[in-house]
Amino acid sequence: MRTRTKAAALTAATTVALAALVTPAVAAPAGAHDGHDATRRAVRAAVADGVPGVTVTVRRGHGTWAATAGVGNLETGKPRSARDHYRIASITKTFVATVVLQLEAEGRLSLDDTVEEWLPGAVRGNGNDGRRITLRQLLNHTSGIFDYLEDPGFQQTYMTPDGFMKHRFDEAAPEDLLAIAMKNRPYFEPGASFAYSNTNYLLAARVIEKATGNDYGDEIDRRIIDPLHLASTSVPTTRVTLPRPSGRAYSKLARETTGPTYDVTELNPRLAYGSGQMVSSSADLTRFYSALLGGRLLPREQLNEMKTTVESSRETSRYGLGLVDRKLGCGVHVWGHDGGIYGSNSDAVTTADGRHSLAVNFNGDWSGSTDAIIEAEFCGDR
């Protein structure tokens, strides 16, 4: 779950003493010149910048490497673990898009179907018209549909300190979230431009449910999690805690760069629904993206559709169907997705052949750069 700009309403900076954040040091296999020296430095730099703790896993060929830095719990000083579970937020979108494309490969739907065909009357009012929006436009964010996270009322209710603490366990139905979006006019005519909108993936998840008769999370379990043996990955319904092992998640719940730090670990993930509901680990995410880009989850035709991109809001990346093509500073292209939700910033990417993958998580949402860690791994030790 992420707003259209990476600086989401809930991000800001820490007041916690830096000394408490920079210990323990990076925990990683000993030995220099193993190809990850720059990544280690970038992980340390993120903690020095104010991130409470970092966990990263790299998969290269048949080998894996992991590192951690900082703490998973600011009160106890317990370090982060390479096995930590965390909320992956908008990385959920790649899972949802994969299931939609599997359904297309099975002939159960078409990307050119309209939203109206699957969800009659769901997208109507204030200039919204589901008869003119295709499933493809949902998946690549060219529908123009308003992002419910940007609604001022939603932000006041869930993204301010008082609102979050009061409503963090709310059980809003997807129809309630859709109704918030429909109160707002679309950003543009369908297909006319790009605008990242979490509402698109709320709708895509509902289409999966209509096409299969099952909860979209059950379809992700059956089609992706179980076949790939992603033991740390789940689509929680209303469970408010994280599976163990896990650290705590911290947020400022404000746009400002100063202010108190809040423990926001417990929340009802159903508020994010198909746009950002899932939990995973760095090891599982590298396995998922390696399998996806390696052709294990989709036929070639559907994988090519997923990798057909449009211009996005970032100069160095283009958006496909739940999959981002990112050009790094050294010219390397990586494919994946990032995700930000209260107290958690994550990124997961892989090379086009799926043979070199990285997933990283920060357990604070106000500082540090996952981009710098990705650049370090794929460009830094050349």
Side-chain angles (χ1 to χ4, degrees), residues 1-2 87-91 337-341 344-347:
M1 183 170 70
R2 185 182 291 276
R87 303 188 192 282
I88 65 172
S90 284
I91 295 173
H337 213 291
D338 62 349
I341 195 169
S344 180
N345 275 341
S346 308
D347 223 324

Side-chain angles (χ1 to χ4, degrees), residues 29 55 92 281 288:
T55 182
T92 300
S281 68
F288 167 62

Side-chain angles (χ1 to χ4, degrees), residues 22-334:
V22 298
T23 55
V26 171
H33 310 300
D34 60 2
H36 304 291
D37 293 346
T39 310
R40 285 191 186 91
R41 292 192 295 271
V43 168
R44 292 190 183 102
V47 174
D49 191 43
V51 177
V54 181
T55 182
V56 60
T57 296
V58 174
R59 180 181 298 269
R60 186 181 292 173
H62 297 293
T64 60
W65 172 89
T68 63
V71 297
N73 188 312
L74 290 173
E75 291 188 5
T76 67
K78 180 181 177 181
R80 291 220 64 178
S81 166
R83 298 175 57 241
D84 273 353
H85 296 77
Y86 50 82
R87 303 188 192 282
I88 65 172
S90 284
I91 295 173
T92 300
K93 292 178 172 68
T94 310
F95 287 82
V96 170
T98 299
V99 172
V100 172
L101 285 161
Q102 288 177 341
L103 292 171
E104 184 197 48
E106 295 164 9
R108 300 173 71 173
L109 56 76
S110 167
L111 294 181
D112 296 321
D113 291 344
T114 66
V115 174
E116 180 72 13
E117 290 176 63
W118 287 101
L119 305 172
V123 178
R124 291 290 181 89
N126 291 316
N128 296 286
D129 188 350
R131 295 169 297 183
R132 302 174 56 214
I133 298 170
T134 66
L135 302 188
R136 189 188 311 274
Q137 290 168 338
L138 294 181
L139 298 183
N140 66 13
H141 296 295
T142 61
S143 71
I145 295 174
F146 185 86
D147 185 351
Y148 68 89
L149 261 66
E150 292 195 343
D151 180 80
F154 183 93
Q155 293 187 351
Q156 182 66 33
T157 301
Y158 296 108
M159 293 183 173
T160 62
D162 288 345
F164 177 83
M165 294 304 174
K166 181 178 180 180
H167 295 284
R168 65 197 298 177
F169 303 128
D170 282 5
E171 296 188 13
E175 288 75 17
D176 298 330
L177 304 176
L178 181 60
I180 293 172
M182 293 299 102
K183 291 192 303 182
N184 296 272
R185 294 193 61 79
Y187 297 123
F188 47 75
E189 291 294 309
S193 187
F194 172 94
Y196 193 93
S197 174
N198 290 282
T199 312
N200 288 325
Y201 276 77
L202 182 157
L203 290 164
R206 296 296 281 161
V207 169
I208 290 171
E209 293 171 345
K210 281 297 184 75
T212 65
N214 301 317
D215 186 275
Y216 87 93
D218 292 338
E219 289 296 313
I220 290 176
D221 284 341
R222 183 173 71 85
R223 293 168 174 271
I224 301 174
I225 294 175
D226 291 344
L228 295 182
H229 306 291
L230 304 180
S232 297
T233 303
S234 62
V235 188
T237 52
T238 56
R239 174 177 174 167
V240 302
T241 58
L242 288 170
R244 294 181 180 178
S246 61
R248 307 302 293 176
Y250 299 99
S251 179
K252 293 298 180 180
L253 295 173
R255 292 182 183 274
E256 290 75 21
T257 58
T258 59
T261 300
Y262 298 92
D263 186 324
V264 295
T265 311
E266 283 83 30
L267 57 85
N268 186 343
R270 200 71 168 173
L271 285 170
Y273 205 63
S275 69
Q277 190 171 345
M278 293 179 65
V279 168
S280 190
S281 68
S282 293
D284 272 12
L285 289 177
T286 60
R287 187 177 300 119
F288 167 62
Y289 279 102
S290 291
L292 178 61
L293 273 294
R296 292 176 54 194
L297 292 173
L298 292 173
R300 183 180 299 275
E301 179 182 349
Q302 276 69 37
L303 183 56
N304 287 340
E305 287 184 304
M306 191 177 224
K307 294 170 70 177
T308 300
T309 61
V310 297
E311 291 186 7
S312 74
S313 54
R314 303 180 197 173
E315 290 184 3
T316 57
S317 66
R318 294 175 61 86
Y319 205 96
L321 305 183
L323 191 66
V324 178
D325 173 15
R326 188 182 314 185
K327 184 179 180 181
L328 303 181
C330 59
V332 170
H333 283 255
V334 291

